[in-house]
Amino acid sequence: MATERKLYWGSGSTPAWRVLIALKEKGLEFDSRLIEFSKGEHKSEDILKLNPRGQVPTFVDGDVVVNESLAALLYIQDKYPSPSLLPATVEGRALVYQRLQESSNLQDKATQVILFKMKNADADVPQEKLDAAKNELKYWESYVSEEGFIAGPDFTLADVAAGPFLIAMQRFGATLEDFPKLAKYTETLKARPSVAETSPPHWKGTPGKDWLAAL
Amino acid sequence: MATERKLYWGSGSTPAWRVLIALKEKGLEFDSRLIEFSKGEHKSEDILKLNPRGQVPTFVDGDVVVNESLAALLYIQDKYPSPSLLPATVEGRALVYQRLQESSNLQDKATQVILFKMKNADADVPQEKLDAAKNELKYWESYVSEEGFIAGPDFTLADVAAGPFLIAMQRFGATLEDFPKLAKYTETLKARPSVAETSPPHWKGTPGKDWLAAL
């Protein structure tokens, strides 16, 4: 069935994964366009017309185009409020907004290590980069709530925003041994249908790197 | 008058400036805590209790603490919807969310150049860093709407998010000669009371650096 909803995504793109999860949580159908980075498809004319930065996610919903993953989450919640991925109180939402934005730090710190290893396969990662990533995980260990999610008792946009990065860090070898709450949290996430069903397809049956094994 | 609303900010912190502008736009009073970076006051016990990252802005509103500047903007709009800094339609809001999140790119690209010069005062900035900053400005030049704001005819959270970085880039010497719409846009912003009244106090009467003069 043709739909006006269309998502360009790439296997292993954690920002794109966020949008896949949100669409699944909302039960929204969409035209799924899996692109291959190795073929440069994120720089294809189709995508560049919609997203001059040539990146995924590139998300189209009728006349709306939203390409920043966190913006797409806010838009999807705004346009399709039910089932809600935001708490009912403004105080609860404040915490979700905070963790949503803060998840960029997880991305930055992990990416610093991963990019270093991509460029210097045989060199040791500078300790300061490892320390920064480990310190970031300490914050998130303290954020996991008693009830098990990042911003309180329910699964919210905060989990959609941070979850893919935490799971990807495990894929890259982070044991999370020193972070028992996060370790348990990622298991909860991975068992959730919206997350399991959208997990990067190329991960299945292939081993991950061990670049974050020190974490 | 004592208030339960409190903002820790630093002169020249563009993320903190965003929050100052939003509070002014909403006409909200607050306890203004101007900290001095040079004295390490962002790492003070007062702030670390509220914000383990030891950064500004640190924003307190009753029981709510929000420290990520974009999260603070979303919270302030959510809690105090009038006067609104979001469009009335979900399509309009989608564009605001997109530009709000995208403004992080402006920050990143400009900061790359500024940090290089802070560490290497006498060296030339690598061309690729200058090109990245210039390319970023090209995107924003294309975003300025006919009506003069970043996400349509009205001043929105998108302007609050991106404006301080564009104005700060001028302070650091960017002439915006090649970006006539942005040059006009920043003048409009600087004339707006919420922006003019919250402009970094230490800018008054002191010259800025010329590290972005190539832009």
Side-chain angles (χ1 to χ4, degrees):
Chain A
M1 190 188 76
T3 164
E4 294 180 39
R5 206 173 297 122
K6 186 162 62 181
L7 178 67
Y8 294 87
W9 59 289
S11 184
S13 157
T14 29
W17 194 6
R18 289 169 166 162
V19 184
L20 289 164
I21 294 170
L23 292 169
K24 283 275 175 191
E25 288 284 336
K26 298 287 186 179
L28 295 169
E29 292 194 19
F30 59 97
D31 185 353
S32 171
R33 303 284 180 100
L34 174 58
I35 63 99
E36 289 197 35
F37 294 113
S38 60
K39 295 182 183 166
E41 290 178 354
H42 49 305
K43 304 293 182 191
S44 71
E45 211 175 308
D46 269 9
I47 289 185
L48 286 171
K49 262 192 294 188
L50 297 163
N51 184 353
R53 294 180 190 271
Q55 294 172 337
V56 294
T58 289
F59 177 58
V60 182
D61 190 19
D63 293 334
V64 165
V65 182
V66 190
N67 303 320
E68 291 289 324
S69 61
L70 298 181
L73 300 190
L74 293 168
Y75 164 74
I76 290 168
Q77 168 65 27
D78 190 343
K79 172 95 178 180
Y80 308 100
S82 179
S84 185
L85 295 170
L86 282 178
T89 66
V90 70
E91 292 76 15
R93 293 194 292 277
L95 185 59
V96 172
Y97 301 145
Q98 170 68 20
R99 299 290 179 248
L100 181 91
Q101 299 296 342
E102 226 179 320
S103 65
S104 303
N105 290 303
L106 266 178
Q107 177 176 18
D108 290 347
K109 302 298 191 296
T111 304
Q112 286 287 319
V113 177
I114 291 167
L115 283 181
F116 180 87
K117 290 302 286 186
M118 284 176 75
K119 290 178 189 167
N120 313 275
D122 297 324
D124 288 335
V125 179
Q127 193 61 38
E128 69 173 33
K129 287 187 195 290
L130 286 175
D131 287 348
K134 192 144 192 168
N135 197 45
E136 190 58 37
L137 287 176
K138 280 186 197 163
Y139 290 128
W140 291 87
E141 174 76 1
S142 76
Y143 296 161
V144 180
S145 74
E146 286 298 314
E147 303 91 343
F149 290 108
I150 280 292
D154 298 312
F155 181 89
T156 68
L157 291 185
D159 303 288
V160 182
F165 289 102
L166 291 165
I167 298 172
M169 287 173 82
Q170 284 188 310
R171 166 80 184 177
F172 277 97
T175 63
L176 302 183
E177 256 176 23
D178 296 337
F179 309 101
K181 289 184 189 170
L182 281 181
K184 191 175 164 204
Y185 170 65
T186 56
E187 293 313 308
T188 304
L189 287 184
K190 286 187 279 187
R192 194 172 176 95
S194 67
V195 177
E197 289 166 17
T198 58
S199 183
H202 85 274
W203 286 6
K204 279 161 204 141
T206 66
K209 304 288 184 185
D210 62 353
W211 295 340
L212 298 178
L215 302 184
Chain B
M1 191 189 76
T3 165
E4 294 179 40
R5 206 173 296 121
K6 188 161 62 180
L7 178 67
Y8 294 87
W9 60 288
S11 183
S13 157
T14 29
W17 194 4
R18 289 169 166 162
V19 185
L20 289 164
I21 294 170
L23 292 170
K24 282 276 175 191
E25 288 284 337
K26 298 286 186 178
L28 296 169
E29 292 194 19
F30 60 98
D31 185 353
S32 170
R33 303 285 179 99
L34 174 58
I35 63 98
E36 290 197 35
F37 294 113
S38 60
K39 296 183 182 166
E41 290 178 354
H42 49 305
K43 305 292 182 192
S44 70
E45 210 175 306
D46 269 11
I47 289 185
L48 286 171
K49 262 192 294 188
L50 297 163
N51 185 352
R53 294 180 189 271
Q55 295 173 337
V56 294
T58 289
F59 177 57
V60 182
D61 190 17
D63 293 335
V64 165
V65 182
V66 191
N67 304 319
E68 290 289 325
S69 61
L70 297 180
L73 300 191
L74 292 169
Y75 164 74
I76 290 168
Q77 169 64 27
D78 190 343
K79 171 96 178 179
Y80 308 100
S82 178
S84 185
L85 294 171
L86 282 178
T89 66
V90 70
E91 292 77 14
R93 293 194 292 277
L95 184 59
V96 172
Y97 300 145
Q98 169 69 19
R99 299 291 180 248
L100 181 91
Q101 298 297 341
E102 227 179 319
S103 66
S104 303
N105 290 302
L106 266 177
Q107 177 175 17
D108 289 347
K109 302 298 190 298
T111 303
Q112 287 286 319
V113 177
I114 290 167
L115 282 182
F116 180 88
K117 289 301 287 187
M118 283 176 75
K119 289 179 189 167
N120 314 275
D122 298 325
D124 288 336
V125 179
Q127 193 61 38
E128 70 173 32
K129 288 186 194 291
L130 286 175
D131 287 348
K134 193 144 192 165
N135 197 45
E136 189 58 38
L137 287 176
K138 280 185 199 163
Y139 289 128
W140 292 86
E141 175 76 1
S142 77
Y143 297 161
V144 180
S145 73
E146 286 298 314
E147 302 92 342
F149 289 108
I150 280 293
D154 298 312
F155 181 89
T156 68
L157 290 185
D159 303 288
V160 182
F165 290 102
L166 291 164
I167 298 172
M169 287 174 82
Q170 284 188 310
R171 165 80 184 178
F172 277 96
T175 63
L176 302 183
E177 256 175 22
D178 296 337
F179 308 101
K181 289 183 189 171
L182 280 181
K184 192 175 164 206
Y185 170 64
T186 56
E187 293 312 309
T188 304
L189 287 183
K190 286 187 279 187
R192 194 171 176 95
S194 67
V195 177
E197 290 166 15
T198 58
S199 184
H202 84 274
W203 286 6
K204 280 160 203 140
T206 66
K209 304 288 184 185
D210 62 353
W211 295 341
L212 298 178
L215 303 184

